[in-house]
Amino acid sequence: MSVPDAVLIGMRETNDLFCAKAIRSRDMNALDRVYTPDAHILPPGADMIQGIADIKSFWLNAITGLDVKDASLATVSAESAGDTVVEIGRAELTLAGGQIVPVKYVVHWKRHGEAWKWHTDIWNMNQ
Amino acid sequence: MSVPDAVLIGMRETNDLFCAKAIRSRDMNALDRVYTPDAHILPPGADMIQGIADIKSFWLNAITGLDVKDASLATVSAESAGDTVVEIGRAELTLAGGQIVPVKYVVHWKRHGEAWKWHTDIWNMNQ
């Protein structure tokens, strides 16, 4: 089922916040607004991680370790699933040297308080 | 929300079929019973693929290319999302030389006809 426009706008706000605050400003506290408290992430090259505290640690290490300077996220498809949304998307990470890393992802979105947040987040690379 | 036992049984049937028929017997036609016709897969090391015909081609190349002999799938969490299910799981692939490749995945399940099938399937490795 298609996702209502108001929900897509809420999802866009969360994605923009991730790129602007977590990636560009390296403000890991912004992730409280991006992930549900008990979210799972499934990163390539590491085991799955549950809970916002450990997710913040992962991203701080990943962003500083790879020296990620910017990110963009684009929805490929979004489907309503009950009161949640399943999204397939593409991301691009820009590293310090200007290298672009293409990423594809699936996010299971949940409404949490006033915001739409990532409850399950898994991604991988094309190469 | 938790997933009813009858649904979990249906999911297990599909997962068992994937391991027994698609992996161990290399019968790609079994994938008609595993994936919805318009499913997406998001494999590491390749771009996303949509549609059962291209998904069969992918798996035939992957299974023969890596010489995968066996697979097992284990659900870590499953949540009902409307009339669908979002599952986080772990897989192990056994290669011809006996090497075990640990994989983690997220599957968005849909009921299709009489069966529960993978509508979105994304995975990656821990290393």
Side-chain angles (χ1 to χ4, degrees):
Chain A
M1 290 203 302
S2 66
V3 178
D5 284 348
V7 176
L8 292 173
I9 290 168
M11 291 165 59
R12 171 52 50 198
E13 287 175 359
T14 301
N15 285 352
D16 287 349
L17 200 82
F18 177 79
C19 295
K21 299 290 186 184
I23 300 290
R24 286 198 282 278
S25 301
R26 300 191 180 183
D27 170 11
M28 293 306 114
N29 287 327
L31 295 177
D32 289 318
R33 169 62 182 72
V34 173
Y35 287 98
T36 63
D38 55 343
H40 280 93
I41 64 172
L42 290 84
D47 199 1
M48 66 179 76
I49 293 165
Q50 185 176 21
I52 188 64
D54 289 343
I55 289 172
K56 288 178 183 177
S57 296
F58 167 84
W59 276 115
L60 186 60
N61 286 335
I63 294 166
T64 55
L66 290 170
D67 206 1
V68 181
K69 294 300 189 188
D70 202 355
S72 65
L73 302 172
T75 300
V76 171
S77 80
E79 288 192 16
S80 289
D83 55 0
T84 73
V85 174
V86 177
E87 179 199 15
I88 299 173
R90 294 184 187 279
E92 284 189 348
L93 304 180
T94 306
L95 308 188
Q99 186 191 352
I100 305 283
V101 180
V103 175
K104 57 194 184 300
Y105 66 82
V106 171
V107 169
H108 185 208
W109 291 79
K110 288 194 177 179
R111 189 169 176 89
H112 178 255
E114 294 301 302
W116 281 90
K117 297 187 182 179
W118 305 351
H119 185 60
T120 305
D121 179 22
I122 178 170
W123 66 96
N124 63 39
M125 283 70 167
N126 291 2
Q127 295 181 333
Chain B
M1 288 205 303
S2 66
V3 178
D5 284 348
V7 176
L8 291 173
I9 290 168
M11 292 165 59
R12 171 51 49 198
E13 286 174 0
T14 302
N15 285 352
D16 287 349
L17 199 82
F18 177 79
C19 296
K21 299 289 186 186
I23 300 289
R24 285 198 284 276
S25 301
R26 299 190 181 183
D27 171 11
M28 294 306 115
N29 287 328
L31 295 177
D32 289 320
R33 171 60 183 74
V34 173
Y35 286 99
T36 63
D38 56 343
H40 280 93
I41 62 171
L42 290 84
D47 200 0
M48 66 179 76
I49 294 165
Q50 186 177 19
I52 187 64
D54 289 343
I55 289 172
K56 288 178 183 177
S57 297
F58 167 83
W59 276 115
L60 185 62
N61 286 335
I63 293 167
T64 54
L66 290 170
D67 206 2
V68 181
K69 294 299 189 190
D70 202 355
S72 64
L73 302 171
T75 300
V76 172
S77 80
E79 288 191 16
S80 288
D83 55 1
T84 73
V85 173
V86 177
E87 178 200 15
I88 299 173
R90 294 184 188 279
E92 284 189 348
L93 304 180
T94 306
L95 307 188
Q99 184 191 354
I100 304 284
V101 180
V103 174
K104 57 193 184 300
Y105 66 83
V106 171
V107 169
H108 185 207
W109 291 79
K110 287 193 178 180
R111 190 170 175 90
H112 177 255
E114 294 300 302
W116 281 90
K117 296 187 181 179
W118 305 352
H119 185 60
T120 306
D121 179 23
I122 178 170
W123 67 96
N124 63 38
M125 282 72 167
N126 292 0
Q127 293 181 334

